[in-house]
Structures are given as C-alpha cells and as structure tokens.
Amino acid sequence: MDAVRALLETQPLFTLLLTVALGYVVGEINIKGVALGSGAVLFVGLAIGGFAPKAAPPALVGTLGLLLFLYGIGIQYGAQFFEGLTSVRGLKANAAAAVGVIGAGMASLALVPLFGLRIDESLGIFAGTGTSTATLQAVIAAMKGDGAAVGYSVAYPFGVAGPILLLYALSALLKAKIEAPAAKTIETAEISLRNPEIVGLTLAQLKARLPVGLAIAAVRREHHNQLPTDDLVLRTDDVLLATSTEPALLREAAGLLGELQPGRMSSHREDLDYVRLFASSRAVVGLALRDIRFPDGITGSIVQVRRGDADMLPNPELILEVGDRVGLLVNRAHTKTMRKLFGDSIKGTAELSFISIGIGAALGLLAGMIPLPIPGVGKLTLGLAALLLVALYLGKIRRSGPLVWTMPLSANLVLRNLGLTIFLAQVGISSGPKFFSTIAITGASLLLYSLLIVLVLVLVTALACLWIFRMPFDVAAGVICGATGNPAILAFANRVAPTEKPDIGYAMIFPSMTVTKILFVEIVMVLAGG
C-alpha cells in the first residue's frame, strides 16, 4: 500500500485521471433507478485524498475546470437567463432560492448559542453547505483563524451529497416521472386552397388568421412553385406548403384552407428545391434571420432550422448558431452559391473560436476581481460568479462585430462535462485529508451540524418552489441546484429531470445566490464586530 500511496502522491496528473475514471465507474452503478453520475467523482476523490494526502493536483487545475463549466453554461443559456430574470417566473425562482439560502444562514447562526460553536466555524459550515468558495474567502478575510476552513471542509461534501440524496428522495416521494421531451421535427402539408372565405385574401391577411406555430413556406400556382410574398393574392386551387412542428396544426390548417394533396409540390422541383446546409460561416452565424442577406440575384427562403436534436420554425428574431442545420428553398442552380454563403462545413461546426473564449473568459475573471462597495458592509468581489454573469450576457448578445461568442452545442457540452469532471476530481482529492482529519478530531458533531444546515437549505427551497410557488418539479430542481450551488448537483438533477429547465434554473439562480451568500456573511460579520 505504501508503494501505491507513493505513486499517487508523486504523480498528481495520473491521480487526477485515475480519479475521473474510477468516479465514472462508481457513478454508473445503478441502485433502484438512481445513479450518481459525475457526482461520484467527488466521493472517489475524497477517498483517494484521504488515502494519499499529498496527491492533490494544483488548485489552478480545479479552477480551470470550474471556469470551463460555468462559461459553457452561461454561453448556452444567456438568453433564457435574462428573459427569466425579468419575468414573474424568474422572480419567483430567485425569491424561493433566497428564502432557502437565508434560512440556512440563520440556522447556521443558531448553532453558536445552541451548541457553543464559534461564529467563524458556523459561517464556514454555511459556506460549505452552500459549496461557495467565494463565501468562505469572505469569512477568512474578515476573521483570522482556521475555524471557517474547518467548518467548510467538513460541510462541503454534505453540501454536494445531501442535495443529491434529497433530490432523489423528493422525486420518489412526489413520484415525479419526467421523461426527456421528444425532439421536435418540422412536418409539412401540401394543401389545395378551396375555401371561398380565404380566396381573394393576401398572404399577409391569411397569416394573421393562422394559428401560432404554423407557417406557409411556398405556393404553387400555374404549374410553378414560388416563394410566398405578403402581397400575393390567393386564388382557388393554389397549393400552399404549410409547415409546423405540431402535426395537429397541419390538420387544422387543412380543415381551414381546403384539402390535402400530397405530392403536388414536392414532385416538381424545377423552380424551387430543398437543400439543407450547416451554418458554419461568419457571414451568417450570430445573425438574426432577418439580417441575413442572400447574394444579389438569388431569392430563397429559410424554412427550417435544426439545432441539436430539435427543429425550430424560423422567425425573423431567431439567431443562427454554429452547427445549426438550415433548410432552404432555393432554385437548384443557386445551391453552390448558398453553400458558400452558409459555409456548410461539418468540420467548421466543430471548431471553436478560442479568441472569443479567451476574451470572454478573461473579461469574466477581470469582472470577478473588481471590488464592489456595499454600504454598511464594505467591499466584496464576486470571483467566478462574475464570470458566469459575463458569459450569460455574451450568450444573450451572441455576437459583437466579428466576434461570435456562441460555440457549437456539441463542443459546449464536451467542454462543460470535461471542466466539471476535472473540478470535482481536484476538489475531492484536495479536500480528502482535511475532511478525514477533522472528523477524527471533532467526531460526529460537525457532521450532524452540517447535515442539519443542508436539510434546511434544500427543504426550505423545495417547500417554497413546490408548495408556495407551485413550480413543476424540473423547474424546482433547477432552482434547488442554483441555491445549493455545486455543478455535481445539477448533473444529478439532469438525470431525474431530463429537460433543459434544471440547467436554465441553475444559470438563473447561481449568480444571484452567490452574491446573496456573500452579502449574508459580510452583514453578519459587521453586526458581530468581525
């Protein structure tokens, strides 16, 4: 065993990768439908760190991993974050999380008079159960001594494991069976116009009558297919190509307009042909569809955008991202020109703009260094929470001149998962020695206190989400993840609620709750004379 320990301690990179591999092996173990997934990397890291105390890789490795994860989350969900923040739903989510965080903070302060803990130890437990390094740093900066670090090191594993287990318990208790939503695909219907109430209307007037989610992509008249224009006056026997991601809407359109006549348009492609291209060129990526200009002399129409595994009905506000597959109606003679415009390179969709990533991440880190004056409290810095805020903003604007901030979805997922795994492995290995040594000294008392604070944080947040604000379970899971803070909890939430809502909730809540946690301890220390 000494030889194994020496190997682990002299080869930190080997130890890191071994932790990742063993963590995923453990994470795949399924017990009655629950598996820890990437969260198991942390627990394997704790065990390896306890066995080989000097094996921890440099802290910068873990920080880089967390940076990649947070930056990827921000870039992908920026638009949803700002939309949610200004909506009633977003305000409710932040209010629910704030109730849980402040409740946990008050419970941690109650440990001081009830059980004789020092205030720095209780605030360290609060920081650890909320897995907030920035909060710990704020306590250490104001209160010299190791009490906060001890409380944090004991509470941190509970801050990760506790919410994971409680989320599983809540999903079982509420019998929340959330299936991954089926990927939407665009369906088409060729409808011959027979309704006399529609004949004589312009296409613009017809569009005003159609249900939301239905579009007219092309019109066939006098044996020729043509693109629809708003001033086109409809005639009897015009064939309209209707598109939608909802088959029921196509049936509704057929009943409104006339009768289905499949093949009338698709079998005649001499005027308009359908071509699907990858968006990989800077000429179109990062632009709204309304701003994309086709070359002179070419008329065409974007009728489909497929992102990831889902189709989206085009609208003028939709912004193209690298890797989107765009369906066009255009004369086949112009296909080559359109391929050049859009790029149509699979290789290009996998390439990252490291200039954009470097600038964006550097701006986020710089913002995190800026001390923010808080009246009556002092100055605080947001650290990596500021990086997430910057990434969310860049994800919202998508593009600044030649700089495209977004990245291909596949590349984003790879970077995020890689960063998360590295972060968990490094933190686990480095926390292992202190975790086990603290337990040996203090016994079970600090463990029980940490468990109590985790219960307050998760259960109060869940109560506010599910019973006060009546949120769906997948939304509530995202809010709980943002309130508790650790990305391993989010990874588990994506297993029990496989929709995009946990990710959006995390991105919406995490920055504001990081600030809330820091402000809480700063105010407590000012009031306590710290």
Side-chain angles (χ1 to χ4, degrees), residues 276-294:
R276 180 181 280 189
L277 310 172
F278 282 99
S280 60
S281 167
R282 290 188 179 183
V284 297
V285 169
L287 295 180
L289 297 189
R290 67 170 182 272
D291 297 326
I292 295 175
R293 298 288 178 261
F294 293 166

PDB file of all heavy atoms in Angstrom, residues 276-294:
ATOM      1  N   ARG A 276     -30.418  21.311 -47.467  1.00  0.00           N
ATOM      2  CA  ARG A 276     -30.080  21.509 -46.050  1.00  0.00           C
ATOM      3  C   ARG A 276     -28.585  21.741 -45.932  1.00  0.00           C
ATOM      4  O   ARG A 276     -27.775  20.971 -46.454  1.00  0.00           O
ATOM      5  CB  ARG A 276     -30.494  20.306 -45.212  1.00  0.00           C
ATOM      6  CG  ARG A 276     -30.151  20.462 -43.728  1.00  0.00           C
ATOM      7  CD  ARG A 276     -30.542  19.256 -42.914  1.00  0.00           C
ATOM      8  NE  ARG A 276     -31.964  19.273 -42.612  1.00  0.00           N
ATOM      9  CZ  ARG A 276     -32.534  18.414 -41.759  1.00  0.00           C
ATOM     10  NH1 ARG A 276     -31.808  17.477 -41.171  1.00  0.00           N
ATOM     11  NH2 ARG A 276     -33.814  18.467 -41.521  1.00  0.00           N
ATOM     12  N   LEU A 277     -28.205  22.811 -45.222  1.00  0.00           N
ATOM     13  CA  LEU A 277     -26.808  23.219 -45.094  1.00  0.00           C
ATOM     14  C   LEU A 277     -26.446  23.387 -43.625  1.00  0.00           C
ATOM     15  O   LEU A 277     -27.301  23.715 -42.793  1.00  0.00           O
ATOM     16  CB  LEU A 277     -26.575  24.561 -45.815  1.00  0.00           C
ATOM     17  CG  LEU A 277     -27.073  24.683 -47.257  1.00  0.00           C
ATOM     18  CD1 LEU A 277     -26.943  26.116 -47.734  1.00  0.00           C
ATOM     19  CD2 LEU A 277     -26.295  23.756 -48.158  1.00  0.00           C
ATOM     20  N   PHE A 278     -25.167  23.187 -43.319  1.00  0.00           N
ATOM     21  CA  PHE A 278     -24.655  23.508 -41.984  1.00  0.00           C
ATOM     22  C   PHE A 278     -24.286  24.986 -41.939  1.00  0.00           C
ATOM     23  O   PHE A 278     -23.651  25.511 -42.855  1.00  0.00           O
ATOM     24  CB  PHE A 278     -23.407  22.684 -41.657  1.00  0.00           C
ATOM     25  CG  PHE A 278     -23.698  21.276 -41.267  1.00  0.00           C
ATOM     26  CD1 PHE A 278     -23.582  20.246 -42.191  1.00  0.00           C
ATOM     27  CD2 PHE A 278     -24.083  20.954 -39.981  1.00  0.00           C
ATOM     28  CE1 PHE A 278     -23.844  18.939 -41.842  1.00  0.00           C
ATOM     29  CE2 PHE A 278     -24.347  19.653 -39.617  1.00  0.00           C
ATOM     30  CZ  PHE A 278     -24.233  18.645 -40.548  1.00  0.00           C
ATOM     31  N   ALA A 279     -24.667  25.667 -40.860  1.00  0.00           N
ATOM     32  CA  ALA A 279     -24.248  27.054 -40.658  1.00  0.00           C
ATOM     33  C   ALA A 279     -22.872  27.047 -39.991  1.00  0.00           C
ATOM     34  O   ALA A 279     -22.747  26.659 -38.826  1.00  0.00           O
ATOM     35  CB  ALA A 279     -25.258  27.794 -39.792  1.00  0.00           C
ATOM     36  N   SER A 280     -21.862  27.417 -40.736  1.00  0.00           N
ATOM     37  CA  SER A 280     -20.504  27.429 -40.186  1.00  0.00           C
ATOM     38  C   SER A 280     -19.737  28.683 -40.580  1.00  0.00           C
ATOM     39  O   SER A 280     -18.599  28.863 -40.163  1.00  0.00           O
ATOM     40  CB  SER A 280     -19.730  26.187 -40.650  1.00  0.00           C
ATOM     41  OG  SER A 280     -19.627  26.152 -42.055  1.00  0.00           O
ATOM     42  N   SER A 281     -20.338  29.555 -41.396  1.00  0.00           N
ATOM     43  CA  SER A 281     -19.661  30.744 -41.888  1.00  0.00           C
ATOM     44  C   SER A 281     -19.961  31.940 -41.007  1.00  0.00           C
ATOM     45  O   SER A 281     -21.088  32.120 -40.524  1.00  0.00           O
ATOM     46  CB  SER A 281     -20.104  31.041 -43.326  1.00  0.00           C
ATOM     47  OG  SER A 281     -19.707  32.337 -43.718  1.00  0.00           O
ATOM     48  N   ARG A 282     -18.972  32.797 -40.820  1.00  0.00           N
ATOM     49  CA  ARG A 282     -19.183  34.015 -40.039  1.00  0.00           C
ATOM     50  C   ARG A 282     -20.148  34.975 -40.723  1.00  0.00           C
ATOM     51  O   ARG A 282     -20.634  35.918 -40.094  1.00  0.00           O
ATOM     52  CB  ARG A 282     -17.847  34.730 -39.807  1.00  0.00           C
ATOM     53  CG  ARG A 282     -16.916  33.984 -38.863  1.00  0.00           C
ATOM     54  CD  ARG A 282     -15.717  34.830 -38.515  1.00  0.00           C
ATOM     55  NE  ARG A 282     -14.812  34.158 -37.585  1.00  0.00           N
ATOM     56  CZ  ARG A 282     -13.724  34.707 -37.081  1.00  0.00           C
ATOM     57  NH1 ARG A 282     -13.404  35.950 -37.423  1.00  0.00           N
ATOM     58  NH2 ARG A 282     -12.955  34.034 -36.246  1.00  0.00           N
ATOM     59  N   ALA A 283     -20.405  34.745 -42.003  1.00  0.00           N
ATOM     60  CA  ALA A 283     -21.342  35.614 -42.722  1.00  0.00           C
ATOM     61  C   ALA A 283     -22.775  35.448 -42.215  1.00  0.00           C
ATOM     62  O   ALA A 283     -23.610  36.329 -42.423  1.00  0.00           O
ATOM     63  CB  ALA A 283     -21.282  35.322 -44.218  1.00  0.00           C
ATOM     64  N   VAL A 284     -23.068  34.312 -41.563  1.00  0.00           N
ATOM     65  CA  VAL A 284     -24.437  34.074 -41.093  1.00  0.00           C
ATOM     66  C   VAL A 284     -24.511  33.757 -39.602  1.00  0.00           C
ATOM     67  O   VAL A 284     -25.526  34.036 -38.965  1.00  0.00           O
ATOM     68  CB  VAL A 284     -25.101  32.929 -41.901  1.00  0.00           C
ATOM     69  CG1 VAL A 284     -25.223  33.309 -43.362  1.00  0.00           C
ATOM     70  CG2 VAL A 284     -24.334  31.607 -41.744  1.00  0.00           C
ATOM     71  N   VAL A 285     -23.472  33.173 -39.034  1.00  0.00           N
ATOM     72  CA  VAL A 285     -23.510  32.763 -37.623  1.00  0.00           C
ATOM     73  C   VAL A 285     -23.551  33.994 -36.728  1.00  0.00           C
ATOM     74  O   VAL A 285     -22.819  34.952 -36.924  1.00  0.00           O
ATOM     75  CB  VAL A 285     -22.283  31.894 -37.290  1.00  0.00           C
ATOM     76  CG1 VAL A 285     -22.172  31.693 -35.785  1.00  0.00           C
ATOM     77  CG2 VAL A 285     -22.373  30.557 -37.990  1.00  0.00           C
ATOM     78  N   GLY A 286     -24.453  33.959 -35.759  1.00  0.00           N
ATOM     79  CA  GLY A 286     -24.588  35.082 -34.844  1.00  0.00           C
ATOM     80  C   GLY A 286     -25.535  36.155 -35.329  1.00  0.00           C
ATOM     81  O   GLY A 286     -25.757  37.145 -34.622  1.00  0.00           O
ATOM     82  N   LEU A 287     -26.117  35.971 -36.505  1.00  0.00           N
ATOM     83  CA  LEU A 287     -27.058  36.943 -37.058  1.00  0.00           C
ATOM     84  C   LEU A 287     -28.486  36.429 -36.911  1.00  0.00           C
ATOM     85  O   LEU A 287     -28.744  35.229 -37.006  1.00  0.00           O
ATOM     86  CB  LEU A 287     -26.768  37.211 -38.534  1.00  0.00           C
ATOM     87  CG  LEU A 287     -25.443  37.889 -38.890  1.00  0.00           C
ATOM     88  CD1 LEU A 287     -25.345  38.059 -40.404  1.00  0.00           C
ATOM     89  CD2 LEU A 287     -25.314  39.238 -38.199  1.00  0.00           C
ATOM     90  N   ALA A 288     -29.419  37.371 -36.711  1.00  0.00           N
ATOM     91  CA  ALA A 288     -30.832  37.012 -36.753  1.00  0.00           C
ATOM     92  C   ALA A 288     -31.205  36.730 -38.209  1.00  0.00           C
ATOM     93  O   ALA A 288     -30.599  37.271 -39.142  1.00  0.00           O
ATOM     94  CB  ALA A 288     -31.680  38.155 -36.200  1.00  0.00           C
ATOM     95  N   LEU A 289     -32.199  35.876 -38.405  1.00  0.00           N
ATOM     96  CA  LEU A 289     -32.579  35.511 -39.773  1.00  0.00           C
ATOM     97  C   LEU A 289     -32.941  36.738 -40.600  1.00  0.00           C
ATOM     98  O   LEU A 289     -32.680  36.777 -41.805  1.00  0.00           O
ATOM     99  CB  LEU A 289     -33.756  34.526 -39.740  1.00  0.00           C
ATOM    100  CG  LEU A 289     -33.506  33.170 -39.071  1.00  0.00           C
ATOM    101  CD1 LEU A 289     -34.687  32.242 -39.312  1.00  0.00           C
ATOM    102  CD2 LEU A 289     -32.216  32.531 -39.559  1.00  0.00           C
ATOM    103  N   ARG A 290     -33.528  37.739 -39.963  1.00  0.00           N
ATOM    104  CA  ARG A 290     -33.928  38.941 -40.711  1.00  0.00           C
ATOM    105  C   ARG A 290     -32.724  39.705 -41.249  1.00  0.00           C
ATOM    106  O   ARG A 290     -32.850  40.501 -42.190  1.00  0.00           O
ATOM    107  CB  ARG A 290     -34.760  39.857 -39.816  1.00  0.00           C
ATOM    108  CG  ARG A 290     -33.971  40.455 -38.676  1.00  0.00           C
ATOM    109  CD  ARG A 290     -34.732  41.561 -37.939  1.00  0.00           C
ATOM    110  NE  ARG A 290     -33.893  42.124 -36.893  1.00  0.00           N
ATOM    111  CZ  ARG A 290     -33.812  41.653 -35.663  1.00  0.00           C
ATOM    112  NH1 ARG A 290     -34.557  40.612 -35.323  1.00  0.00           N
ATOM    113  NH2 ARG A 290     -33.007  42.207 -34.771  1.00  0.00           N
ATOM    114  N   ASP A 291     -31.543  39.500 -40.651  1.00  0.00           N
ATOM    115  CA  ASP A 291     -30.348  40.257 -41.050  1.00  0.00           C
ATOM    116  C   ASP A 291     -29.483  39.519 -42.069  1.00  0.00           C
ATOM    117  O   ASP A 291     -28.469  40.056 -42.523  1.00  0.00           O
ATOM    118  CB  ASP A 291     -29.505  40.592 -39.818  1.00  0.00           C
ATOM    119  CG  ASP A 291     -30.243  41.488 -38.843  1.00  0.00           C
ATOM    120  OD1 ASP A 291     -31.031  42.339 -39.318  1.00  0.00           O
ATOM    121  OD2 ASP A 291     -30.047  41.339 -37.616  1.00  0.00           O
ATOM    122  N   ILE A 292     -29.844  38.272 -42.394  1.00  0.00           N
ATOM    123  CA  ILE A 292     -29.050  37.516 -43.365  1.00  0.00           C
ATOM    124  C   ILE A 292     -29.429  37.961 -44.768  1.00  0.00           C
ATOM    125  O   ILE A 292     -30.606  37.989 -45.133  1.00  0.00           O
ATOM    126  CB  ILE A 292     -29.289  36.004 -43.194  1.00  0.00           C
ATOM    127  CG1 ILE A 292     -28.770  35.552 -41.822  1.00  0.00           C
ATOM    128  CG2 ILE A 292     -28.595  35.221 -44.305  1.00  0.00           C
ATOM    129  CD1 ILE A 292     -29.058  34.105 -41.511  1.00  0.00           C
ATOM    130  N   ARG A 293     -28.451  38.346 -45.541  1.00  0.00           N
ATOM    131  CA  ARG A 293     -28.664  38.845 -46.897  1.00  0.00           C
ATOM    132  C   ARG A 293     -28.145  37.828 -47.903  1.00  0.00           C
ATOM    133  O   ARG A 293     -26.966  37.463 -47.876  1.00  0.00           O
ATOM    134  CB  ARG A 293     -27.945  40.186 -47.103  1.00  0.00           C
ATOM    135  CG  ARG A 293     -28.454  41.290 -46.175  1.00  0.00           C
ATOM    136  CD  ARG A 293     -29.854  41.746 -46.585  1.00  0.00           C
ATOM    137  NE  ARG A 293     -30.361  42.779 -45.678  1.00  0.00           N
ATOM    138  CZ  ARG A 293     -31.198  42.558 -44.681  1.00  0.00           C
ATOM    139  NH1 ARG A 293     -31.631  41.316 -44.456  1.00  0.00           N
ATOM    140  NH2 ARG A 293     -31.603  43.538 -43.906  1.00  0.00           N
ATOM    141  N   PHE A 294     -29.030  37.388 -48.796  1.00  0.00           N
ATOM    142  CA  PHE A 294     -28.625  36.481 -49.857  1.00  0.00           C
ATOM    143  C   PHE A 294     -27.897  37.271 -50.943  1.00  0.00           C
ATOM    144  O   PHE A 294     -28.137  38.474 -51.115  1.00  0.00           O
ATOM    145  CB  PHE A 294     -29.825  35.766 -50.449  1.00  0.00           C
ATOM    146  CG  PHE A 294     -30.506  34.801 -49.501  1.00  0.00           C
ATOM    147  CD1 PHE A 294     -31.766  34.300 -49.778  1.00  0.00           C
ATOM    148  CD2 PHE A 294     -29.881  34.395 -48.329  1.00  0.00           C
ATOM    149  CE1 PHE A 294     -32.391  33.418 -48.912  1.00  0.00           C
ATOM    150  CE2 PHE A 294     -30.491  33.509 -47.460  1.00  0.00           C
ATOM    151  CZ  PHE A 294     -31.753  33.024 -47.748  1.00  0.00           C
TER     152      PHE A 294
END
